[in-house]
mmCIF file of all heavy atoms in Angstrom:
data_model
loop_
_atom_site.group_PDB
_atom_site.id
_atom_site.type_symbol
_atom_site.label_atom_id
_atom_site.label_comp_id
_atom_site.label_asym_id
_atom_site.label_seq_id
_atom_site.Cartn_x
_atom_site.Cartn_y
_atom_site.Cartn_z
ATOM 1 N N VAL C 113 153.279 165.961 29.409
ATOM 2 C CA VAL C 113 152.724 165.483 30.645
ATOM 3 C C VAL C 113 151.264 165.119 30.377
ATOM 4 O O VAL C 113 150.728 164.049 30.846
ATOM 5 C CB VAL C 113 152.845 166.506 31.790
ATOM 6 C CG1 VAL C 113 152.008 166.032 33.033
ATOM 7 C CG2 VAL C 113 154.391 166.588 32.162
ATOM 8 N N ALA C 116 150.844 161.843 28.764
ATOM 9 C CA ALA C 116 151.110 160.829 29.670
ATOM 10 C C ALA C 116 149.956 160.595 30.487
ATOM 11 O O ALA C 116 149.483 159.389 30.848
ATOM 12 C CB ALA C 116 152.285 161.106 30.480
ATOM 13 N N LEU C 117 149.149 161.640 30.902
ATOM 14 C CA LEU C 117 147.931 161.462 31.705
ATOM 15 C C LEU C 117 146.891 160.614 30.814
ATOM 16 O O LEU C 117 146.204 159.877 31.395
ATOM 17 C CB LEU C 117 147.337 162.867 31.952
ATOM 18 C CG LEU C 117 148.085 163.754 32.874
ATOM 19 C CD1 LEU C 117 147.492 165.062 33.141
ATOM 20 C CD2 LEU C 117 148.266 163.064 34.316
ATOM 21 N N CYS C 118 146.892 160.944 29.492
ATOM 22 C CA CYS C 118 145.919 160.169 28.680
ATOM 23 C C CYS C 118 146.153 158.729 28.701
ATOM 24 O O CYS C 118 145.267 157.824 28.295
ATOM 25 C CB CYS C 118 145.935 160.760 27.333
ATOM 26 S SG CYS C 118 145.274 162.428 27.198
ATOM 27 N N GLN C 119 147.360 158.265 29.064
ATOM 28 C CA GLN C 119 147.681 156.762 29.170
ATOM 29 C C GLN C 119 147.313 156.206 30.375
ATOM 30 O O GLN C 119 147.381 154.865 30.605
ATOM 31 C CB GLN C 119 149.196 156.642 28.832
ATOM 32 C CG GLN C 119 149.742 157.330 27.602
ATOM 33 C CD GLN C 119 148.969 157.046 26.337
ATOM 34 O OE1 GLN C 119 148.629 155.977 26.147
ATOM 35 N NE2 GLN C 119 148.624 158.111 25.675
ATOM 36 N N ILE C 120 146.840 156.939 31.458
ATOM 37 C CA ILE C 120 146.387 156.246 32.646
ATOM 38 C C ILE C 120 145.025 155.655 32.451
ATOM 39 O O ILE C 120 144.131 156.219 32.138
ATOM 40 C CB ILE C 120 146.276 157.319 33.872
ATOM 41 C CG1 ILE C 120 147.702 158.042 34.053
ATOM 42 C CG2 ILE C 120 145.941 156.594 35.211
ATOM 43 C CD1 ILE C 120 147.476 159.342 34.895
ATOM 44 N N PRO C 121 144.988 154.326 32.680
ATOM 45 C CA PRO C 121 143.636 153.638 32.349
ATOM 46 C C PRO C 121 142.531 154.141 33.324
ATOM 47 O O PRO C 121 142.753 154.530 34.428
ATOM 48 C CB PRO C 121 143.935 152.258 32.671
ATOM 49 C CG PRO C 121 145.439 152.022 32.536
ATOM 50 C CD PRO C 121 145.970 153.348 32.963
ATOM 51 N N TYR C 122 141.312 154.206 32.754
ATOM 52 C CA TYR C 122 140.111 154.492 33.584
ATOM 53 C C TYR C 122 140.154 153.616 34.741
ATOM 54 O O TYR C 122 140.358 152.404 34.632
ATOM 55 C CB TYR C 122 138.976 154.106 32.624
ATOM 56 C CG TYR C 122 137.546 154.307 33.304
ATOM 57 C CD1 TYR C 122 136.804 155.504 33.019
ATOM 58 C CD2 TYR C 122 136.999 153.461 34.148
ATOM 59 C CE1 TYR C 122 135.562 155.613 33.620
ATOM 60 C CE2 TYR C 122 135.676 153.649 34.608
ATOM 61 C CZ TYR C 122 134.932 154.780 34.300
ATOM 62 O OH TYR C 122 133.787 154.933 34.986
ATOM 63 N N GLY C 123 139.766 154.230 35.946
ATOM 64 C CA GLY C 123 139.595 153.377 37.162
ATOM 65 C C GLY C 123 140.875 153.156 37.816
ATOM 66 O O GLY C 123 140.971 152.393 38.785
ATOM 67 N N GLU C 124 142.076 153.688 37.355
ATOM 68 C CA GLU C 124 143.376 153.412 37.980
ATOM 69 C C GLU C 124 143.984 154.722 38.370
ATOM 70 O O GLU C 124 143.529 155.949 37.822
ATOM 71 C CB GLU C 124 144.262 152.788 37.067
ATOM 72 C CG GLU C 124 143.836 151.275 36.770
ATOM 73 C CD GLU C 124 144.845 150.527 35.859
ATOM 74 O OE1 GLU C 124 145.943 150.945 35.822
ATOM 75 O OE2 GLU C 124 144.413 149.616 35.193
ATOM 76 N N VAL C 125 144.896 154.845 39.332
ATOM 77 C CA VAL C 125 145.665 156.023 39.652
ATOM 78 C C VAL C 125 147.054 155.756 39.586
ATOM 79 O O VAL C 125 147.508 154.606 39.632
ATOM 80 C CB VAL C 125 145.235 156.609 41.144
ATOM 81 C CG1 VAL C 125 143.861 156.950 41.220
ATOM 82 C CG2 VAL C 125 145.604 155.472 42.118
ATOM 83 N N VAL C 126 147.950 156.902 39.516
ATOM 84 C CA VAL C 126 149.340 156.893 39.525
ATOM 85 C C VAL C 126 149.743 157.997 40.442
ATOM 86 O O VAL C 126 148.888 158.907 40.710
ATOM 87 C CB VAL C 126 149.986 157.073 38.199
ATOM 88 C CG1 VAL C 126 149.647 155.948 37.121
ATOM 89 C CG2 VAL C 126 149.809 158.357 37.530
ATOM 90 N N THR C 127 150.916 157.966 40.989
ATOM 91 C CA THR C 127 151.417 159.011 41.802
ATOM 92 C C THR C 127 152.174 159.963 40.998
ATOM 93 O O THR C 127 152.583 159.765 39.837
ATOM 94 C CB THR C 127 152.382 158.326 42.951
ATOM 95 O OG1 THR C 127 153.565 157.985 42.305
ATOM 96 C CG2 THR C 127 151.669 157.368 43.790
ATOM 97 N N TYR C 128 152.252 161.144 41.578
ATOM 98 C CA TYR C 128 153.083 162.143 40.855
ATOM 99 C C TYR C 128 154.566 161.665 40.638
ATOM 100 O O TYR C 128 155.163 161.944 39.616
ATOM 101 C CB TYR C 128 153.137 163.515 41.796
ATOM 102 C CG TYR C 128 151.873 164.260 41.784
ATOM 103 C CD1 TYR C 128 150.923 164.020 42.682
ATOM 104 C CD2 TYR C 128 151.488 165.031 40.654
ATOM 105 C CE1 TYR C 128 149.747 164.695 42.767
ATOM 106 C CE2 TYR C 128 150.234 165.761 40.712
ATOM 107 C CZ TYR C 128 149.292 165.510 41.722
ATOM 108 O OH TYR C 128 148.242 166.139 41.649
ATOM 109 N N GLY C 129 155.135 160.941 41.641
ATOM 110 C CA GLY C 129 156.426 160.324 41.502
ATOM 111 C C GLY C 129 156.491 159.334 40.303
ATOM 112 O O GLY C 129 157.571 159.438 39.534
ATOM 113 N N GLU C 130 155.538 158.516 40.160
ATOM 114 C CA GLU C 130 155.583 157.502 39.027
ATOM 115 C C GLU C 130 155.415 158.319 37.719
ATOM 116 O O GLU C 130 156.124 157.921 36.717
ATOM 117 C CB GLU C 130 154.311 156.647 39.174
ATOM 118 C CG GLU C 130 154.575 155.529 40.301
ATOM 119 C CD GLU C 130 153.227 154.855 40.631
ATOM 120 O OE1 GLU C 130 152.093 155.446 40.314
ATOM 121 O OE2 GLU C 130 153.265 153.852 41.177
ATOM 122 N N LEU C 131 154.631 159.313 37.711
ATOM 123 C CA LEU C 131 154.454 160.124 36.450
ATOM 124 C C LEU C 131 155.793 160.875 36.228
ATOM 125 O O LEU C 131 156.195 160.899 35.028
ATOM 126 C CB LEU C 131 153.234 161.103 36.579
ATOM 127 C CG LEU C 131 152.892 161.819 35.435
ATOM 128 C CD1 LEU C 131 152.335 160.803 34.297
ATOM 129 C CD2 LEU C 131 151.631 162.696 35.733
ATOM 130 N N ALA C 132 156.451 161.327 37.211
ATOM 131 C CA ALA C 132 157.740 161.921 36.950
ATOM 132 C C ALA C 132 158.762 160.991 36.488
ATOM 133 O O ALA C 132 159.519 161.418 35.588
ATOM 134 C CB ALA C 132 158.187 162.618 38.324
ATOM 135 N N GLN C 133 158.716 159.755 36.978
ATOM 136 C CA GLN C 133 159.718 158.769 36.440
ATOM 137 C C GLN C 133 159.403 158.472 34.990
ATOM 138 O O GLN C 133 160.345 158.253 34.096
ATOM 139 C CB GLN C 133 159.588 157.456 37.190
ATOM 140 C CG GLN C 133 160.101 157.654 38.601
ATOM 141 C CD GLN C 133 159.913 156.283 39.319
ATOM 142 O OE1 GLN C 133 158.840 155.530 39.260
ATOM 143 N NE2 GLN C 133 160.835 155.899 40.269
ATOM 144 N N LYS C 134 158.160 158.358 34.551
ATOM 145 C CA LYS C 134 157.741 158.186 33.200
ATOM 146 C C LYS C 134 158.345 159.361 32.338
ATOM 147 O O LYS C 134 158.783 159.128 31.261
ATOM 148 C CB LYS C 134 156.236 157.975 33.055
ATOM 149 C CG LYS C 134 155.829 157.661 31.661
ATOM 150 C CD LYS C 134 154.295 157.368 31.668
ATOM 151 C CE LYS C 134 153.936 156.977 30.317
ATOM 152 N NZ LYS C 134 152.575 156.405 30.137
ATOM 153 N N VAL C 149 156.360 168.205 37.299
ATOM 154 C CA VAL C 149 155.337 167.407 36.602
ATOM 155 C C VAL C 149 153.962 167.703 37.357
ATOM 156 O O VAL C 149 152.919 167.981 36.654
ATOM 157 C CB VAL C 149 155.608 165.788 36.828
ATOM 158 C CG1 VAL C 149 154.362 165.042 36.455
ATOM 159 C CG2 VAL C 149 156.805 165.451 35.985
ATOM 160 N N VAL C 153 150.515 169.053 35.624
ATOM 161 C CA VAL C 153 149.228 168.372 35.894
ATOM 162 C C VAL C 153 148.129 169.347 36.357
ATOM 163 O O VAL C 153 147.054 169.358 35.715
ATOM 164 C CB VAL C 153 149.375 167.224 36.922
ATOM 165 C CG1 VAL C 153 148.015 166.638 37.296
ATOM 166 C CG2 VAL C 153 150.212 166.124 36.412
ATOM 167 N N PRO C 163 142.757 163.012 31.990
ATOM 168 C CA PRO C 163 142.352 162.652 33.339
ATOM 169 C C PRO C 163 143.379 162.920 34.529
ATOM 170 O O PRO C 163 144.066 162.051 35.137
ATOM 171 C CB PRO C 163 142.237 161.208 33.311
ATOM 172 C CG PRO C 163 143.185 160.787 32.124
ATOM 173 C CD PRO C 163 143.085 161.805 31.129
ATOM 174 N N CYS C 164 143.603 164.204 34.737
ATOM 175 C CA CYS C 164 144.564 164.573 35.922
ATOM 176 C C CYS C 164 144.088 164.254 37.157
ATOM 177 O O CYS C 164 144.829 164.079 38.105
ATOM 178 C CB CYS C 164 144.890 166.132 35.773
ATOM 179 S SG CYS C 164 143.379 167.181 35.787
ATOM 180 N N HIS C 165 142.775 163.989 37.263
ATOM 181 C CA HIS C 165 142.248 163.633 38.495
ATOM 182 C C HIS C 165 142.776 162.151 38.983
ATOM 183 O O HIS C 165 142.633 161.784 40.090
ATOM 184 C CB HIS C 165 140.748 163.496 38.556
ATOM 185 C CG HIS C 165 140.148 162.605 37.517
ATOM 186 N ND1 HIS C 165 139.934 162.995 36.208
ATOM 187 C CD2 HIS C 165 139.707 161.381 37.487
ATOM 188 C CE1 HIS C 165 139.487 162.104 35.507
ATOM 189 N NE2 HIS C 165 139.211 161.001 36.274
ATOM 190 N N ARG C 166 143.389 161.410 38.128
ATOM 191 C CA ARG C 166 143.831 160.070 38.380
ATOM 192 C C ARG C 166 145.200 160.079 38.886
ATOM 193 O O ARG C 166 145.854 159.066 38.995
ATOM 194 C CB ARG C 166 143.912 159.214 37.044
ATOM 195 C CG ARG C 166 142.472 159.029 36.607
ATOM 196 C CD ARG C 166 142.429 158.137 35.307
ATOM 197 N NE ARG C 166 141.098 158.104 34.760
ATOM 198 C CZ ARG C 166 140.830 157.862 33.464
ATOM 199 N NH1 ARG C 166 141.770 157.591 32.657
ATOM 200 N NH2 ARG C 166 139.542 157.917 32.990
ATOM 201 N N VAL C 167 145.852 161.266 39.278
ATOM 202 C CA VAL C 167 147.155 161.416 39.873
ATOM 203 C C VAL C 167 146.941 161.757 41.331
ATOM 204 O O VAL C 167 146.323 162.685 41.688
ATOM 205 C CB VAL C 167 147.903 162.495 39.129
ATOM 206 C CG1 VAL C 167 149.434 162.558 39.709
ATOM 207 C CG2 VAL C 167 147.988 162.240 37.692
ATOM 208 N N VAL C 168 147.650 160.972 42.260
ATOM 209 C CA VAL C 168 147.568 161.175 43.753
ATOM 210 C C VAL C 168 149.008 161.272 44.229
ATOM 211 O O VAL C 168 150.038 160.819 43.603
ATOM 212 C CB VAL C 168 146.853 160.012 44.346
ATOM 213 C CG1 VAL C 168 145.366 159.946 43.856
ATOM 214 C CG2 VAL C 168 147.481 158.690 44.265
ATOM 215 N N GLY C 169 149.064 161.689 45.566
ATOM 216 C CA GLY C 169 150.399 161.734 46.140
ATOM 217 C C GLY C 169 150.823 160.330 46.582
ATOM 218 O O GLY C 169 150.029 159.506 46.648
ATOM 219 N N ALA C 170 152.139 160.212 46.708
ATOM 220 C CA ALA C 170 152.722 158.886 46.996
ATOM 221 C C ALA C 170 152.194 158.296 48.265
ATOM 222 O O ALA C 170 152.109 157.149 48.309
ATOM 223 C CB ALA C 170 154.336 159.138 46.985
ATOM 224 N N ASN C 171 151.631 159.241 49.190
ATOM 225 C CA ASN C 171 151.237 158.615 50.466
ATOM 226 C C ASN C 171 149.674 158.466 50.473
ATOM 227 O O ASN C 171 149.202 158.363 51.539
ATOM 228 C CB ASN C 171 151.709 159.538 51.697
ATOM 229 C CG ASN C 171 151.210 160.965 51.488
ATOM 230 O OD1 ASN C 171 150.535 161.292 50.420
ATOM 231 N ND2 ASN C 171 151.553 161.794 52.448
ATOM 232 N N GLY C 172 149.124 158.743 49.264
ATOM 233 C CA GLY C 172 147.605 158.707 49.132
ATOM 234 C C GLY C 172 146.993 159.877 49.401
ATOM 235 O O GLY C 172 145.724 159.996 49.401
ATOM 236 N N SER C 173 147.680 160.984 49.498
ATOM 237 C CA SER C 173 147.113 162.226 49.570
ATOM 238 C C SER C 173 146.462 162.897 48.225
ATOM 239 O O SER C 173 146.983 162.567 47.167
ATOM 240 C CB SER C 173 148.050 163.403 50.105
ATOM 241 O OG SER C 173 149.051 163.440 49.020
ATOM 242 N N LEU C 174 145.166 163.362 48.409
ATOM 243 C CA LEU C 174 144.530 163.852 47.226
ATOM 244 C C LEU C 174 144.918 165.350 47.127
ATOM 245 O O LEU C 174 144.338 166.218 47.611
ATOM 246 C CB LEU C 174 143.016 163.684 47.411
ATOM 247 C CG LEU C 174 142.634 162.239 47.510
ATOM 248 C CD1 LEU C 174 141.099 162.099 47.685
ATOM 249 C CD2 LEU C 174 142.899 161.444 46.260
ATOM 250 N N THR C 175 145.981 165.525 46.269
ATOM 251 C CA THR C 175 146.493 166.886 46.207
ATOM 252 C C THR C 175 146.382 167.423 44.819
ATOM 253 O O THR C 175 146.385 166.613 43.841
ATOM 254 C CB THR C 175 148.057 166.911 46.646
ATOM 255 O OG1 THR C 175 148.715 165.987 45.646
ATOM 256 C CG2 THR C 175 148.297 166.393 47.964
ATOM 257 N N LYS C 184 137.700 165.906 42.661
ATOM 258 C CA LYS C 184 138.521 164.872 42.324
ATOM 259 C C LYS C 184 137.969 163.604 42.899
ATOM 260 O O LYS C 184 138.004 162.436 42.453
ATOM 261 C CB LYS C 184 139.875 165.122 42.941
ATOM 262 C CG LYS C 184 140.915 164.115 42.665
ATOM 263 C CD LYS C 184 142.365 164.792 43.087
ATOM 264 C CE LYS C 184 143.420 163.747 42.662
ATOM 265 N NZ LYS C 184 144.794 164.475 42.587
ATOM 266 N N LEU C 188 137.092 160.132 41.049
ATOM 267 C CA LEU C 188 137.690 158.840 41.345
ATOM 268 C C LEU C 188 136.615 157.923 41.864
ATOM 269 O O LEU C 188 136.685 156.750 41.522
ATOM 270 C CB LEU C 188 138.724 159.068 42.506
ATOM 271 C CG LEU C 188 139.956 159.899 42.061
ATOM 272 C CD1 LEU C 188 140.933 160.102 43.213
ATOM 273 C CD2 LEU C 188 140.760 159.027 40.965
ATOM 274 N N GLU C 191 134.758 156.438 38.945
ATOM 275 C CA GLU C 191 135.460 155.479 38.235
ATOM 276 C C GLU C 191 135.885 154.191 38.948
ATOM 277 O O GLU C 191 136.426 153.353 38.463
ATOM 278 C CB GLU C 191 136.871 156.189 37.585
ATOM 279 C CG GLU C 191 136.594 157.167 36.646
ATOM 280 C CD GLU C 191 137.885 157.701 36.157
ATOM 281 O OE1 GLU C 191 139.057 157.229 36.227
ATOM 282 O OE2 GLU C 191 137.932 158.648 35.341
ATOM 283 N N ALA C 193 137.804 154.225 41.469
ATOM 284 C CA ALA C 193 139.249 154.183 41.809
ATOM 285 C C ALA C 193 139.512 154.831 43.322
ATOM 286 O O ALA C 193 140.627 154.843 43.600
ATOM 287 C CB ALA C 193 139.988 154.993 40.855
ATOM 288 N N PHE C 198 142.956 156.940 50.729
ATOM 289 C CA PHE C 198 143.240 158.344 50.334
ATOM 290 C C PHE C 198 142.867 159.304 51.348
ATOM 291 O O PHE C 198 141.964 159.019 52.094
ATOM 292 C CB PHE C 198 142.532 158.544 49.070
ATOM 293 C CG PHE C 198 142.962 157.841 47.740
ATOM 294 C CD1 PHE C 198 142.057 157.522 46.730
ATOM 295 C CD2 PHE C 198 144.157 157.384 47.642
ATOM 296 C CE1 PHE C 198 142.469 156.936 45.602
ATOM 297 C CE2 PHE C 198 144.533 156.561 46.530
ATOM 298 C CZ PHE C 198 143.622 156.306 45.516
#
Side-chain angles (χ1 to χ4, degrees):
V113 171
L117 292 174
C118 291
Q119 306 309 312
I120 305 169
Y122 179 100
E124 294 183 25
V125 297
V126 300
T127 66
Y128 289 96
E130 290 167 336
L131 191 56
Q133 287 175 326
K134 182 174 186 168
V149 170
V153 170
C164 54
H165 58 275
R166 296 179 187 157
V167 185
V168 300
N171 60 358
S173 61
L174 298 175
T175 62
K184 183 171 189 160
L188 292 174
E191 293 186 10
F198 293 156

